[in-house]
Amino acid sequence: MKRKTLILILILEAALIAGLVYLSRQYPAWFTSVWSIPMEQIAGGLKALSGTGTFGNGLALAILAGIALVPVIFALRYPRGRETLAERIALTVLAVVIPIVLWNMVHPGNMRQGAAAGSDAFLQVVRAALSLILWSVVILFIVLRLIRLFRAGKREQLLRYFRILLAVSCMAFTAELAVTLMNAALAPAADVSPGTQDIIAGIFRLAAGVVPPVFDIVILIRVMDLIRIAETEEQEGLAETAKKVSGISCIALAVSTGLCALQHVVQLLLMPGLTDLNVTVDIPVVSIVFVAVILLFTRLLVENRQLREDNSLFI
C-alpha cells in the first residue's frame, strides 16, 4: 500500500470513527460505543424483527443461528493439523459466544435478575461488556493466525506480513486518536463554568492523550517506507531512512513522556484554582514500548545491512 493511499484511508477512518462517536452520544439506544458496533445494531434488528410476530421471531432465530454458523464453516474449511488446532478451537469458541452475546443483547435483563434492565446506564454497561467479550475472541483468533504465519513465513513473507501489521496498527492508533478528540469535543458542560486554570489544565491533558498516537502513526508510516527499501535487493537509502526513523522515535519518546509529566506538573501548579481535578496517572506505556521496539528494529536492520556489506567485501 502506498503512503498516499494509506493516509487517505486513515483520514476517512478518522472521519468515520468521529461520526460513530457522535452517533453514540446522540442515539445511545443504537450506538452505545464504537466497540459495540456491529453487534449492537444486529441485536437491535433481531429484536425488532422478533417483535413483529411468530414468523418474525422464527426468522430472527434463523438469522441468529446463521450468524453463529459462519465461524463453524470457516473452521471446517481450515486445513487439518496441529499447527491450525488453536485457530480452529478459537473459531469454535467464537461460534458459541456469538449467539450468547447477541441473545443477551436482545434480552439484557437475563444478565442480572432483579437489575434495572430498563435503565440506560444498565443497558450501556451490559452491551459494552458483551461486545468486548466477542471482540476479545475475534482478536484471539487473529493473533493465533498471525503467530502461525510469522512462524512459517520466509523473509519476504515476514516483511510483507509486517507491513500489513503496521498498516493495521496505524488504523488502531487513528481510531484511538479520533475517539479521544471527539470525546473531548463532546464532553458535557459542567455545572460550574470552567475557569482559565481549568482550560489550561484541560489543554495539557488533551495534548498528553493526542500527541503519542500522532507520533506512533508518523513512525509507522516511516517504518513502512523502511521495509519497502529492505525488500529490495540493493536496499539503497536504507541507512538514511533508518536514521530518520530513529530520530523521530527518539523525539517521540522524549515528547510523550515529557507531556505526561508536564500535564501533572501544570495541574499541581494550578490546583488551588481548579474546579475539575483529574488525578489519573495516564502514562502512555503502549506508545513508549512500541516506539522503543521500533527504534531497536531500525538499529538491527541497519546493522544487518552493514554485516552483509562486510561479508561481501570479505568474499
Side-chain angles (χ1 to χ4, degrees):
M1 185 183 301
K2 296 181 179 180
R3 180 192 293 188
K4 292 183 179 180
T5 304
L6 177 60
I7 292 175
L8 178 60
I9 291 174
L10 295 180
I11 293 173
L12 294 175
E13 180 203 358
L16 176 62
I17 295 294
L20 292 175
V21 173
Y22 176 79
L23 290 175
S24 68
R25 296 294 185 92
Q26 298 296 318
Y27 306 99
W30 284 89
F31 297 90
T32 300
S33 67
V34 175
W35 278 104
S36 298
I37 299 171
M39 287 77 73
E40 199 170 29
Q41 290 70 44
I42 295 174
L46 293 175
K47 184 176 182 179
L49 186 60
S50 64
T52 59
T54 304
F55 176 78
N57 187 50
L59 183 59
L61 290 174
I63 294 174
L64 180 61
I67 295 173
L69 283 175
V70 171
V72 175
I73 295 173
F74 276 102
L76 292 175
R77 293 174 60 88
Y78 240 67
R80 296 294 183 266
R82 293 183 59 183
E83 65 276 2
T84 62
L85 178 60
E87 296 168 57
R88 286 184 279 122
I89 292 175
L91 286 171
T92 305
V93 173
L94 183 61
V96 176
V97 170
I98 285 176
I100 295 175
V101 166
L102 293 178
W103 180 266
N104 285 288
M105 275 192 168
V106 175
H107 307 284
N110 296 339
M111 297 299 295
R112 180 174 295 180
Q113 297 297 328
S119 65
D120 293 338
F122 177 81
L123 290 175
Q124 290 179 3
V125 171
V126 169
R127 289 170 179 170
L130 291 171
S131 300
L132 288 175
I133 291 171
L134 183 54
W135 277 117
S136 65
V137 181
V138 173
I139 292 172
L140 171 64
F141 166 74
I142 294 173
V143 170
L144 291 174
R145 180 172 175 81
L146 286 175
I147 290 173
R148 180 170 63 88
L149 291 175
F150 273 99
R151 291 183 63 182
K154 298 181 180 180
R155 180 180 179 275
E156 294 77 13
Q157 292 175 321
L158 291 176
L159 290 175
R160 186 171 67 252
Y161 295 152
F162 192 39
R163 279 199 288 111
I164 296 173
L165 185 60
L166 292 178
V168 173
S169 300
C170 277
M171 295 177 185
F173 285 123
T174 300
E176 177 188 352
L177 181 62
V179 170
T180 301
L181 288 173
M182 281 303 294
N183 283 333
L186 299 175
D191 295 334
V192 181
S193 299
T196 304
Q197 293 91 335
D198 294 299
I199 295 174
I200 295 174
I203 291 174
F204 277 96
R205 281 198 298 267
L206 181 61
V210 167
V211 171
V214 170
F215 269 117
D216 294 337
I217 295 169
V218 173
I219 292 171
L220 283 171
I221 293 175
R222 292 282 188 179
V223 173
M224 292 177 69
D225 294 337
L226 185 64
I227 293 176
R228 289 192 190 93
I229 297 174
E231 288 178 327
T232 62
E233 185 64 29
E234 298 80 10
Q235 296 186 356
E236 185 178 354
L238 180 69
E240 293 78 6
T241 306
K243 185 177 180 180
K244 293 178 181 178
V245 174
S246 298
I248 194 171
S249 298
C250 293
I251 295 173
L253 282 173
V255 172
S256 298
T257 52
L259 281 174
C260 180
L262 185 60
Q263 67 160 327
H264 292 98
V265 171
V266 170
Q267 187 169 253
L268 175 63
L269 296 175
L270 301 177
M271 190 176 295
L274 292 177
T275 59
D276 181 19
L277 182 61
N278 189 341
V279 295
T280 303
V281 181
D282 189 12
I283 301 175
V285 178
V286 175
S287 293
I288 293 171
V289 173
F290 162 77
V291 173
V293 170
I294 292 297
L295 184 60
L296 178 62
F297 169 76
T298 56
R299 292 293 301 273
L300 291 175
L301 205 59
V302 172
E303 290 181 4
N304 181 61
R305 164 72 185 278
Q306 293 174 347
L307 182 61
R308 287 179 56 187
E309 291 179 348
D310 293 340
N311 290 337
S312 299
L313 291 175
F314 179 75
I315 294 172

